[in-house]
Amino acid sequence: MVIKNIANSKDIKIEEGIITEIGDNLEDKEIYDAKNSKIFPLIIDLNVKNSESLSKLNEKALKGGVGTILMIPKHKPIYNKLHLAYNLTKEKDIDLLVAIEAIHENKLTDIHILVDKGAKALFINSDENLNLIKRVFQYAEMLKVPVFVNANNKSLLGNGQMNASDKAYSLGLEGIENYVESIEVAKILELSKYFDVKIVFQSITTKESLALLKNRDRNKIFVDVCIDNILYTDDNICDFNTLFKTFPPLRSEKDKKALLEAIQNDEIDFISSNHISTNDEGKDVAFEVAEFGIAKLDKFAKQAYSLGIDDKKMTKMLSTNPSKLFNLNEGEIKIGNKAKFMLIEKNEQEFKIKKVFIF
């Protein structure tokens, strides 16, 4: 197949699911006319919670321009061979990578066995027993798998419902201070110096955390930002709007500005969805008992590519950098890569995924 008339690329030839040529006036028996649409690699989303069936995730991912997801075991446990086997089911169009809980109920899981069985990453909460975290880093170093870190301290979190701010005070809601995150970032960052392991700080939200991570070793330490925190602020939680209750919480305008500045300065490695399935039963209740989370996997590409950030910079954070982290043969439109991409009609008034290619 040859795809022609692409707005932001020369013709692309695909053979057996691989990009084999990029150039002018390519020919083949099968021609697809892009009709001046733009082409982008499918997103590799590194933060999808396992909160719904794989078939539903598959459907939503394709609608949202996502071709590969990393399943994070935050909603349901993934710490044994049975959990892992279920999540590696092949009946789907997208590719699924699975992160396992490295620590479950204050004990190490069977990390070596689960990595041998197909797990691609380890997941920890930063406030676990530090000796156990040290051992997780040792395993990760030996097995050469990345560790994804949820940097939050539950003992400081209390019954926090949203960002600690005047808005929280006015609503009578307990706030979540910035230091709940930044203290844990500092701790894990210090411990990481003693291990040759790749560590991903997931869903960083605060300017204090960014300051700590600014001069990190970019070959070892990676920063992920949830798209919610560069789209919204805690001001969106007006009149107890539970649709914007999420975790980590939406922060202040100053924090959002710091995240956007870090993106412009190439200090952010990944942008992910932090998708978690929600429903009316979980949201149409009092704010204090409403579920945390914002569902957005089916509109992820539209949100990301409509932010006004340079398309190439955005593609790097959504697709190219995640591909490099896991040594995947995708994430860029180049010869030799898998033909996993989408055609998009995009202007100031409209964003539409015209076609998704997965061979």
Side-chain angles (χ1 to χ4, degrees):
M1 173 189 283
V2 168
I3 304 175
K4 303 178 77 69
N5 301 317
I6 306 168
N8 59 338
S9 172
K10 296 181 179 182
D11 298 349
I12 297 174
K13 188 170 186 177
I14 302 159
E15 296 177 289
E16 297 182 353
I18 301 295
I19 299 172
T20 57
E21 270 188 90
I22 300 176
D24 295 320
N25 304 314
L26 301 183
E27 297 296 336
D28 192 75
K29 292 179 180 179
E30 185 179 1
I31 301 291
Y32 185 91
D33 185 359
K35 297 181 179 179
N36 210 37
S37 298
K38 290 187 175 183
I39 192 166
F40 295 96
L42 289 178
I43 295 169
I44 302 168
D45 189 350
L46 297 185
N47 193 359
V48 176
K49 304 302 191 294
N50 55 339
S51 56
E52 57 196 316
S53 69
L54 296 180
S55 61
K56 287 183 179 179
L57 277 177
N58 185 77
E59 179 183 352
K60 291 177 180 180
L62 293 177
K63 286 182 179 179
V66 177
T68 302
I69 65 174
L70 177 68
M71 190 78 84
I72 298 296
K74 193 65 179 170
H75 190 76
K76 298 177 184 177
I78 306 177
Y79 63 88
N80 61 31
K81 288 185 284 185
L82 181 62
H83 297 147
L84 180 63
Y86 169 77
N87 284 281
L88 290 176
T89 302
K90 298 295 183 182
E91 296 176 4
K92 53 193 177 303
D93 299 305
I94 62 171
D95 289 325
L96 180 61
L97 311 176
V98 178
I100 58 158
E101 289 177 82
I103 302 170
H104 183 76
E105 295 182 349
N106 207 35
K107 295 180 181 178
L108 287 183
T109 59
D110 294 326
I111 294 171
H112 202 314
I113 293 172
L114 294 173
V115 170
D116 283 346
K117 293 291 184 180
K120 297 299 183 184
L122 309 181
F123 174 83
I124 62 168
N125 295 302
S126 62
D127 58 352
E128 300 278 4
N129 178 289
L130 270 177
N131 186 55
L132 291 179
I133 292 177
K134 178 198 75 173
R135 293 173 64 190
V136 169
F137 286 0
Q138 289 171 334
Y139 268 106
E141 185 176 51
M142 176 179 65
L143 298 171
K144 300 188 185 307
V145 291
V147 179
F148 283 70
V149 179
N150 169 39
N152 280 282
N153 188 299
K154 288 189 286 291
S155 63
L156 293 174
L157 184 64
N159 190 38
Q161 299 292 312
M162 63 174 290
N163 183 47
S165 62
D166 291 341
K167 174 67 70 174
Y169 182 79
S170 69
L171 295 173
L173 296 171
E174 186 172 343
I176 301 170
E177 299 284 355
N178 282 22
Y179 58 70
V180 171
E181 175 184 283
S182 59
I183 285 173
E184 295 298 300
V185 168
K187 179 179 70 179
I188 296 298
L189 197 57
E190 179 64 24
L191 185 62
S192 72
K193 294 177 182 178
Y194 302 94
F195 302 92
D196 185 17
V197 57
K198 292 181 177 180
I199 296 172
V200 179
F201 285 95
Q202 279 203 307
S203 297
I204 290 300
T205 66
T206 72
K207 58 185 184 298
E208 292 86 355
S209 294
L210 290 175
L212 289 166
L213 292 161
K214 186 177 180 65
N215 296 318
R216 67 191 183 276
D217 182 344
R218 297 295 295 267
N219 294 314
K220 287 176 49 179
I221 307 298
F222 303 88
V223 177
D224 164 68
V225 170
C226 167
I227 194 165
D228 297 336
N229 293 95
I230 52 177
L231 278 172
Y232 313 118
T233 70
D234 56 357
D235 284 335
N236 289 93
I237 304 176
C238 56
D239 299 324
F240 299 96
N241 189 341
T242 60
L243 294 178
F244 292 99
K245 181 182 179 180
T246 190
F247 192 86
L250 303 178
R251 295 291 186 181
S252 69
E253 186 64 40
K254 288 183 179 179
D255 289 307
K256 177 185 171 182
K257 183 179 178 181
L259 291 174
L260 288 169
E261 287 179 354
I263 287 171
Q264 293 300 337
N265 294 332
D266 295 319
E267 295 169 8
I268 303 300
D269 300 291
F270 315 119
I271 291 178
S272 60
S273 71
N274 191 26
H275 169 82
I276 185 167
S277 178
T278 58
N279 54 47
D280 291 342
E281 289 183 3
K283 288 292 189 179
D284 193 16
V285 292
F287 197 94
E288 291 90 336
V289 295
E291 293 179 348
F292 287 95
I294 301 175
K296 85 284 285 177
L297 191 62
D298 56 347
K299 48 184 178 285
F300 189 21
K302 180 178 181 179
Q303 289 182 330
Y305 283 108
S306 299
L307 276 167
I309 295 168
D310 176 73
D311 285 344
K312 290 182 179 179
K313 189 184 292 286
M314 182 58 70
T315 296
K316 186 177 179 181
M317 294 180 289
L318 292 173
S319 306
T320 309
N321 287 348
S323 178
K324 289 179 179 178
L325 179 69
F326 285 102
N327 296 313
L328 305 176
N329 192 28
E330 55 186 281
E332 293 180 85
I333 308 296
K334 71 176 187 179
I335 293 172
N337 269 12
K338 292 180 183 177
K340 292 180 65 177
F341 43 75
M342 54 185 160
L343 292 175
I344 291 175
E345 293 179 354
K346 177 178 181 286
N347 54 49
E348 292 182 1
Q349 291 77 36
E350 183 182 27
F351 182 100
K352 179 182 179 182
I353 296 178
K354 185 175 177 181
K355 187 172 177 62
V356 169
F357 289 87
I358 296 180
F359 292 86

